[in-house]
Amino acid sequence: MVKDIEPTQKIEPFIDMTSRQFANVLFVGLGVGIVTWLLQLAFSKYVFGPIMCNDGSQASCGSVDSYASIGATIIGAAGGLVALVRIRVYRPLLVVLAAVISLWGLFAITGSMMWTATLSLFAVLHAGTYGLFVWLARIRSFLITIVTTVIAVVLIRLFLG
C-alpha cells in the first residue's frame, strides 16, 4: 500500500499588504486627524458652546471642549472605519479602536498650542497610529495581534500622558 504524501503549504505569519494599501492607510489617518480637529472646533464653537454657555453658568460652560472632543473623536473614528473597510484593510475595527484609545484626550494635551501646530500634530499622530496598528493587525495569529496591540497602546498612552 502506497501512502500519498501531501505537500504542506507554508503559512506566512503576516497577511499580505501592498505598499499602495499602506500609503492609503496613512492618508486615511491623516484625513481622520484633520477632520477630527476641524469637527472639534466646529462642535465647540457652534454646537456645544451656544447650548451649554447660553445661561451664563460657568460650571457647564467649562466642559464644552470635552463634549466637543468626544463627539469629534467618535465621528472621526466612524469615518476612519468606513475608509479602512473600503480599502480592504485586515481587521479595520481593531485598528480604529486602538487608534482611538491611544489618542484619547489629545485635545487636552494640545489645548495651549498654536492652531497650526495642533493641526499638524493631529494629522501626523493619527496617520502614525493608523499605520502602526494596521501593520500590527497584519499578524495572522489573533492572540499575538491583541497582545502586541495592547502593548503598543499602553506605550503610546504613557508617552502622551
Side-chain angles (χ1 to χ4, degrees):
M1 193 180 272
V2 177
K3 288 186 175 181
D4 287 336
I5 299 175
E6 293 182 27
T8 58
Q9 290 183 341
K10 184 178 179 186
I11 298 175
E12 294 293 325
F14 291 99
I15 303 296
D16 287 334
M17 174 182 271
T18 64
S19 58
R20 181 177 178 171
Q21 271 183 315
F22 190 72
N24 286 340
V25 168
L26 293 178
F27 285 126
V28 166
L30 195 75
V32 168
I34 292 169
V35 166
T36 302
W37 183 78
L38 290 172
L39 282 174
Q40 194 272 342
L41 287 179
F43 285 170
S44 180
K45 187 171 184 172
Y46 299 112
V47 179
F48 294 112
I51 292 171
M52 298 176 79
C53 297
N54 195 17
D55 62 358
S57 170
Q58 294 297 343
S60 64
C61 196
S63 58
V64 166
D65 289 333
S66 297
Y67 287 121
S69 65
I70 290 169
T73 301
I74 291 171
I75 292 173
L81 179 62
V82 169
L84 290 181
V85 168
R86 288 186 54 94
I87 60 176
R88 298 178 188 264
V89 169
Y90 192 61
R91 297 179 179 142
L93 185 59
L94 177 66
V95 171
V96 170
L97 285 176
V100 165
I101 293 168
S102 296
L103 299 177
W104 191 264
L106 188 59
F107 289 102
I109 296 169
T110 60
S112 63
M113 296 172 67
M114 288 183 50
W115 72 270
T116 52
T118 303
L119 178 60
S120 301
L121 188 66
F122 262 78
V124 168
L125 285 179
H126 277 81
T129 54
Y130 272 58
L132 171 68
F133 293 122
V134 160
W135 186 78
L136 290 176
R138 291 179 47 230
I139 300 171
R140 195 172 294 275
S141 169
F142 187 68
L143 181 63
I144 295 173
T145 300
I146 292 295
V147 169
T148 56
T149 300
V150 167
I151 290 170
V153 166
V154 168
L155 290 175
I156 291 170
R157 295 297 304 165
L158 287 174
F159 178 73
L160 291 178

